[in-house]
Coordinates of all heavy atoms in Angstrom, one line a residue:
Chain P
Y79 N 87.4 70.7 114.6 CA 88.8 71.1 114.5 C 89.7 70.2 115.3 O 89.2 69.4 116.2 CB 89.0 72.6 115.0 CG 88.7 72.7 116.5 CD1 89.7 72.4 117.5 CD2 87.5 73.0 117.0 CE1 89.5 72.5 118.8 CE2 87.2 73.0 118.4 CZ 88.2 72.8 119.3 OH 88.0 72.9 120.6
S80 N 91.0 70.2 115.0 CA 91.9 69.5 115.8 C 93.0 70.4 116.2 O 93.7 71.1 115.4 CB 92.5 68.3 114.9 OG 93.6 67.7 115.6
Y81 N 93.2 70.5 117.6 CA 94.2 71.4 118.1 C 94.4 71.1 119.6 O 93.4 70.7 120.2 CB 93.8 72.9 118.0 CG 94.8 73.9 118.4 CD1 96.1 74.0 117.8 CD2 94.6 74.7 119.5 CE1 97.0 74.9 118.2 CE2 95.5 75.6 120.0 CZ 96.8 75.7 119.3 OH 97.7 76.5 119.8
G82 N 95.6 71.2 120.1 CA 95.9 70.7 121.4 C 95.3 71.6 122.5 O 95.3 71.2 123.7
A83 N 94.9 72.7 122.2 CA 94.3 73.6 123.3 C 93.1 74.3 122.7 O 92.6 73.9 121.6 CB 95.4 74.6 123.7
T84 N 92.6 75.3 123.3 CA 91.5 76.1 122.8 C 92.0 77.0 121.7 O 92.8 77.9 121.9 CB 90.8 76.9 123.9 OG1 90.3 76.0 124.9 CG2 89.6 77.7 123.3
P85 N 91.4 76.8 120.5 CA 91.9 77.6 119.3 C 91.1 78.9 119.2 O 90.1 79.1 119.9 CB 91.7 76.7 118.2 CG 90.5 75.9 118.5 CD 90.5 75.8 120.0
Y86 N 91.4 79.7 118.3 CA 90.6 80.8 117.8 C 89.8 80.2 116.6 O 90.4 79.5 115.8 CB 91.4 82.0 117.3 CG 92.2 82.6 118.4 CD1 93.4 83.3 118.2 CD2 91.8 82.6 119.8 CE1 94.1 83.9 119.2 CE2 92.5 83.2 120.8 CZ 93.7 83.8 120.5 OH 94.4 84.5 121.5
L87 N 88.6 80.5 116.5 CA 87.7 79.9 115.5 C 86.9 81.0 114.7 O 86.5 82.0 115.3 CB 86.7 79.0 116.2 CG 87.3 77.8 116.8 CD1 86.4 77.2 117.9 CD2 87.7 76.7 115.8
F88 N 86.7 80.7 113.4 CA 86.1 81.7 112.6 C 85.2 81.0 111.6 O 85.4 79.9 111.2 CB 87.2 82.5 111.7 CG 88.3 83.0 112.6 CD1 89.4 82.2 112.9 CD2 88.3 84.3 113.0 CE1 90.4 82.7 113.7 CE2 89.3 84.8 113.8 CZ 90.4 84.0 114.1
W89 N 84.2 81.8 111.1 CA 83.4 81.4 110.0 C 83.4 82.5 109.0 O 83.2 83.7 109.3 CB 81.9 81.1 110.3 CG 81.7 79.7 110.8 CD1 81.6 79.3 112.1 CD2 81.5 78.5 110.0 NE1 81.3 77.9 112.2 CE2 81.3 77.5 110.9 CE3 81.5 78.3 108.6 CZ2 81.0 76.1 110.4 CZ3 81.2 77.0 108.2 CH2 81.0 75.9 109.1
Y90 N 83.7 82.1 107.7 CA 83.7 83.1 106.6 C 82.6 82.7 105.6 O 82.3 81.5 105.5 CB 85.0 83.1 105.9 CG 86.1 83.8 106.6 CD1 86.9 83.2 107.6 CD2 86.5 85.1 106.3 CE1 87.9 83.8 108.3 CE2 87.6 85.8 106.9 CZ 88.2 85.1 107.9 OH 89.3 85.7 108.6
V91 N 82.1 83.6 104.9 CA 81.1 83.4 103.8 C 81.7 83.9 102.5 O 82.3 85.0 102.5 CB 79.7 83.9 104.1 CG1 79.8 85.5 104.3 CG2 78.7 83.6 103.0
Q92 N 81.5 83.1 101.4 CA 81.9 83.6 100.1 C 80.7 83.5 99.2 O 80.3 82.4 98.8 CB 83.0 82.7 99.6 CG 83.6 83.1 98.2 CD 84.6 82.2 97.7 OE1 84.8 81.0 98.1 NE2 85.5 82.7 96.8
S93 N 80.2 84.7 98.8 CA 79.1 84.7 97.8 C 79.7 84.5 96.4 O 80.9 84.8 96.2 CB 78.4 86.1 97.9 OG 77.8 86.2 99.2
P94 N 78.9 84.1 95.5 CA 79.4 83.9 94.1 C 80.2 85.1 93.5 O 79.7 86.2 93.6 CB 78.2 83.5 93.3 CG 77.2 83.0 94.3 CD 77.5 83.7 95.6
G95 N 81.4 84.8 93.1 CA 82.2 85.9 92.4 C 82.8 86.9 93.4 O 83.3 87.9 93.0
Q96 N 82.7 86.5 94.7 CA 83.2 87.5 95.7 C 84.4 86.8 96.5 O 84.6 85.6 96.5 CB 82.1 87.9 96.7 CG 80.9 88.5 96.0 CD 81.3 89.9 95.4 OE1 82.0 90.7 95.9 NE2 80.8 90.1 94.2
G97 N 85.0 87.7 97.3 CA 86.0 87.1 98.2 C 85.3 86.7 99.5 O 84.1 86.8 99.7
L98 N 86.1 86.1 100.4 CA 85.6 85.7 101.7 C 85.3 86.9 102.6 O 86.1 87.8 102.7 CB 86.6 84.7 102.4 CG 86.6 83.3 101.9 CD1 87.2 83.2 100.5 CD2 87.4 82.4 102.8
Q99 N 84.2 86.8 103.4 CA 83.9 87.8 104.3 C 83.7 87.2 105.7 O 83.0 86.1 105.8 CB 82.6 88.5 103.9 CG 82.1 89.6 104.8 CD 80.8 90.1 104.5 OE1 80.0 89.5 103.7 NE2 80.4 91.3 105.1
L100 N 84.3 87.8 106.7 CA 84.2 87.2 108.1 C 82.7 87.3 108.6 O 82.2 88.4 108.6 CB 85.1 88.0 109.0 CG 85.2 87.5 110.4 CD1 85.8 86.0 110.5 CD2 86.0 88.4 111.3
L101 N 82.2 86.2 109.0 CA 80.8 86.2 109.6 C 80.8 86.3 111.1 O 80.1 87.1 111.6 CB 80.2 84.8 109.3 CG 79.3 84.6 108.0 CD1 78.8 83.2 107.9 CD2 78.2 85.6 107.9
L102 N 81.7 85.6 111.7 CA 81.8 85.7 113.2 C 83.1 85.0 113.6 O 83.8 84.4 112.8 CB 80.6 85.0 113.9 CG 80.2 83.6 113.4 CD1 81.1 82.5 113.9 CD2 78.7 83.4 113.8
K103 N 83.5 85.2 114.9 CA 84.7 84.8 115.4 C 84.6 84.4 116.9 O 83.7 85.0 117.6 CB 85.8 85.9 115.3 CG 85.4 87.1 116.0 CD 86.1 88.3 115.4 CE 85.6 89.6 116.1 NZ 86.0 90.8 115.4

Side-chain angles (χ1 to χ4, degrees):
Chain P
Y79 68 87
S80 175
Y81 183 65
T84 300
Y86 298 150
L87 296 159
F88 310 85
W89 275 99
Y90 286 80
V91 60
Q92 182 182 22
S93 297
Q96 303 294 318
L98 280 69
Q99 179 186 16
L100 184 64
L101 271 180
L102 48 77
K103 60 205 175 191

